[in-house]
Amino acid sequence: MVSGHVGSSGNGVPAQAAVFVCYVPGLDARLVDERLTPHLSRLRRDHGTVQIRTFPSTELVPTIVSGTWPHQHRIWQVSLKPEYRTGARRDVVDLLPDLVVSTAQCTRHFFDRTYDLAVIPWRRRRRFQQHRFKYTRRAKSELAMKEFAGLPSIFGILGEEAKYFFTKDFAELETLSQRLPSGKRRIELLEMYALDLVQHWHLDNPSVMSDALARTDEFVRVVHERCRRLGVRFLLLVDHGQERITGTVPLIQTLQRTGVPQTEYSFFVELASARLWFHSSRARRVLGDALGALPGTTLLSWQQMHDYKICFEDDAFGELYVFADAGRIFFPHDFHQPIASRVLGLMDWHQRQRVDSPVHRGNHGYLPHHPSEQGWLVLDGLGRGRGRSEIELVDIAPSLLSLVGVEPPDHMQGTAIVS
């Protein structure tokens, strides 16, 4: 571990390499302006921004810290178990109404948070091998951040010299800003998830958003100034924004209206994307035609996903993908359950809006050409015209290691932002 505070060389660059990463998912560049976010605006103006090319997913953290793509670290929601590739088995539980089964599973999830995807009816849920990395998991266990599919992340490589912090509560920011960065480790990364969470349910509420952005701006200002006092290099990281929801797409209803029984196909529906597997030629033909005619969506085969750096070797993670256009979500989806939505809305003020309406107000995870999927970073001391103006998400991990004087391992796919 680096002992004591890291001194400065006098030119804004630490004499001993140490970096503090202020990671703020959801901080859409379109929301940054001089009035609401003066410090963020100055950061972008004075230091310049590096644009980040991303890929269509809501789970970007594994790629950020491991420097590998989803088909390498294997965090990509769900895959279909081999025994269900040719069709679905029947069980006595399948005779129960979906609402009854999902309510029972949600009750279990309330007491056992390791029981994931609780709202999906058992007849479908049992078909899936899960490969998810929810914020609740990484917030609870720092060990979960150290490696993925046997590939060490920056935290696994640096051990005690790196530490991950997490918050989803604006009320914690003042306390965090008094102790972060500590100046005692090579890398400290704080995921400030509060803004992202608020936007999911309040992006349509100007007063709530103004307050959230102002508090985010003030927090960034305070930790940036603390970095400078301690001689720690400051990096502001944003991997995506959010799009305001203006409409829904009835994907599940479209599948049901075809009349094809669910024994002939499997599906998993997120808010912005869905994936399907077909167990009969009829399902492949009929459902493919129905989805091809569904307005506000884009269809891609698993082979076409390679164009987005999602290069799985077969269709185990999805045979056909459907993406909603930005500003729309699939509803209902596999994270919606009527009773659970009301319970979550009553328990968590961030999600209070879902008590009246369970449709999200903001979302991301669309195809990467949409503005909501544009990531960016600011590195204090980089300066305009230095380094690259655009990087891939896999470039972040090797960049962080290089900034603290550590050679990136061979398994990391990216290259450092500065040499």
Side-chain angles (χ1 to χ4, degrees):
M1 179 183 295
V2 180
S3 60
H5 293 314
V6 180
S8 173
S9 62
N11 61 358
V13 180
Q16 297 181 46
V19 177
F20 177 72
V21 183
C22 185
Y23 169 38
V24 189
L27 182 53
D28 200 307
R30 295 172 293 179
L31 299 178
V32 177
D33 63 38
E34 291 285 353
R35 181 180 62 88
L36 274 179
T37 57
H39 186 75
L40 289 167
S41 296
R42 285 194 298 273
L43 275 175
R44 289 172 58 88
R45 182 185 66 240
D46 295 346
H47 299 281
T49 59
V50 178
Q51 302 302 310
I52 304 173
R53 293 188 298 271
T54 185
F55 53 86
S57 176
T58 57
E59 294 192 303
L60 303 177
V61 171
T63 294
I64 289 172
V65 300
S66 73
T68 59
W69 299 107
H71 58 277
Q72 295 164 317
H73 60 61
R74 313 300 285 184
I75 304 296
W76 189 244
Q77 294 289 1
V78 300
S79 62
L80 194 65
K81 294 178 180 177
E83 59 266 34
Y84 288 97
R85 300 298 295 277
T86 57
R89 301 183 310 220
R90 303 286 291 179
D91 195 335
V92 66
V93 179
D94 299 342
L95 301 176
L96 295 174
D98 288 353
L99 185 62
V100 172
V101 176
S102 60
T103 300
Q105 293 182 157
C106 286
T107 302
R108 174 178 173 179
H109 174 73
F110 186 81
F111 296 100
D112 176 12
R113 293 305 176 93
T114 63
Y115 187 78
D116 196 7
L117 297 181
V119 306
I120 302 179
W122 174 246
R123 60 185 161 76
R124 287 201 295 118
R125 186 183 182 279
R126 67 173 178 232
R127 305 177 192 180
F128 299 134
Q129 181 72 40
Q130 297 185 35
H131 310 270
R132 287 166 44 75
F133 194 59
K134 299 190 306 176
Y135 73 82
T136 51
R137 180 181 167 198
R138 57 183 182 266
K140 212 171 183 183
S141 172
E142 196 177 343
L143 287 174
M145 295 287 286
K146 291 188 179 295
E147 72 170 43
F148 303 92
L151 303 173
S153 70
I154 57 174
F155 300 102
I157 292 167
L158 292 178
E160 294 298 315
E161 294 185 284
K163 189 169 179 62
Y164 168 79
F165 302 87
F166 176 91
T167 182
K168 64 170 185 174
D169 194 340
F170 281 108
E172 296 179 350
L173 295 186
E174 183 176 358
T175 300
L176 286 169
S177 66
Q178 294 173 359
R179 62 187 182 92
L180 291 178
S182 70
K184 297 180 179 180
R185 301 176 183 89
R186 291 194 183 190
I187 295 177
E188 291 178 325
L189 186 154
L190 168 67
E191 180 176 357
M192 205 287 275
Y193 187 68
L195 178 65
D196 201 31
L197 185 56
V198 163
Q199 287 184 107
H200 278 306
W201 296 104
H202 299 275
L203 192 54
D204 61 341
N205 188 321
S207 62
V208 173
M209 285 303 304
S210 294
D211 178 69
L213 287 166
R215 296 172 78 173
T216 300
D217 186 72
E218 176 62 12
F219 175 71
V220 171
R221 182 190 70 80
V222 173
V223 295
H224 183 203
E225 290 180 354
R226 182 174 170 86
C227 282
R228 289 196 158 185
R229 288 197 305 271
L230 297 179
V232 174
R233 199 140 188 206
F234 175 81
L235 190 152
L236 175 65
L237 170 63
V238 179
D239 55 353
H240 66 82
Q242 283 207 28
E243 200 69 49
R244 181 174 173 177
I245 301 306
T246 58
T248 61
V249 179
L251 185 141
I252 292 179
Q253 296 94 320
T254 299
L255 297 176
Q256 293 171 341
R257 283 197 296 266
T258 65
V260 177
Q262 288 191 19
T263 53
E264 294 187 26
Y265 65 97
S266 298
F267 66 96
F268 175 71
V269 183
E270 301 178 68
L271 277 73
S273 65
R275 59 188 74 182
L276 294 94
W277 300 260
F278 305 111
H279 312 314
S280 73
S281 57
R282 175 176 68 163
R284 183 175 290 103
R285 173 178 52 81
V286 174
L287 298 182
D289 290 345
L291 294 173
L294 191 61
T297 64
T298 298
L299 263 63
L300 296 169
S301 67
W302 67 271
Q303 296 97 331
Q304 289 172 313
M305 292 297 293
H306 290 198
D307 294 337
Y308 299 95
K309 306 297 179 69
I310 312 298
C311 304
F312 287 103
E313 63 278 4
D314 57 28
D315 61 2
F317 281 78
E319 183 176 345
L320 182 69
Y321 289 82
V322 192
F323 287 92
D325 291 344
R328 295 178 177 272
I329 62 169
F330 297 125
F331 190 86
H333 47 74
D334 279 332
F335 301 94
H336 165 68
Q337 205 268 4
I339 297 174
S341 279
R342 285 169 173 79
V343 170
L344 286 171
L346 292 171
M347 292 179 59
D348 184 354
W349 76 267
H350 292 96
Q351 306 181 56
R352 191 62 46 83
Q353 297 295 94
R354 73 190 301 169
V355 174
D356 298 323
S357 173
V359 177
H360 283 62
R361 277 48 165 192
N363 193 50
H364 64 98
Y366 300 103
L367 290 175
H369 63 273
H370 292 294
S372 58
E373 309 311 304
Q374 306 306 304
W376 55 280
L377 66 80
V378 172
L379 176 61
D380 191 354
L382 178 61
R384 291 182 176 275
R386 293 181 58 201
R388 288 177 286 157
S389 61
E390 188 177 49
I391 63 172
E392 302 273 9
L393 210 62
V394 291
D395 293 331
I396 295 171
S399 294
L400 291 175
L401 291 177
S402 295
L403 286 170
V404 299
V406 175
E407 184 72 22
D410 291 340
H411 72 263
M412 290 190 174
Q413 300 297 296
T415 55
I417 186 173
V418 290
S419 55

